[in-house]
Amino acid sequence: MDLTQNTLENTEYMIEEIKRKLRMASGAALKASALNDEQYDDLRDIFEMVAGKQQFSISEIEAITKELGRLRKA
């Protein structure tokens, strides 16, 4: 999968993988259509960081969730 391309499919894939990896109970609030297209690179950065780690502390999960919330459309 070429995640360098800003597509809805790629956005959905990254969000689903982030939710799976973080075991997010409130993952339903994260939808690809709710994210700002102009911040795709920021989402990809978060995805790559999450994909590269095996475990997360509570504070890391909170920080990631806060950052994802920042990417949502106003």
Side-chain angles (χ1 to χ4, degrees), residues 22 46 49-50 53-68:
L22 299 181
I46 295 169
M49 187 270 300
V50 168
K53 288 192 70 163
Q54 292 299 316
Q55 295 182 348
F56 299 88
S57 69
I58 299 292
S59 60
E60 286 174 317
I61 292 172
E62 288 173 354
I64 292 165
T65 303
K66 183 177 180 180
E67 189 64 19
L68 288 171

Side-chain angles (χ1 to χ4, degrees), residues 34-47:
L35 293 182
N36 187 335
D37 289 343
E38 295 172 3
Q39 295 179 313
Y40 181 82
D41 290 334
D42 292 339
L43 175 63
R44 196 173 78 205
D45 289 343
I46 295 169
F47 168 77

Side-chain angles (χ1 to χ4, degrees), residues 21-36:
K21 190 97 184 232
L22 299 181
R23 297 180 186 104
M24 294 178 72
S26 62
L30 280 176
K31 295 185 178 162
S33 60
L35 293 182
N36 187 335

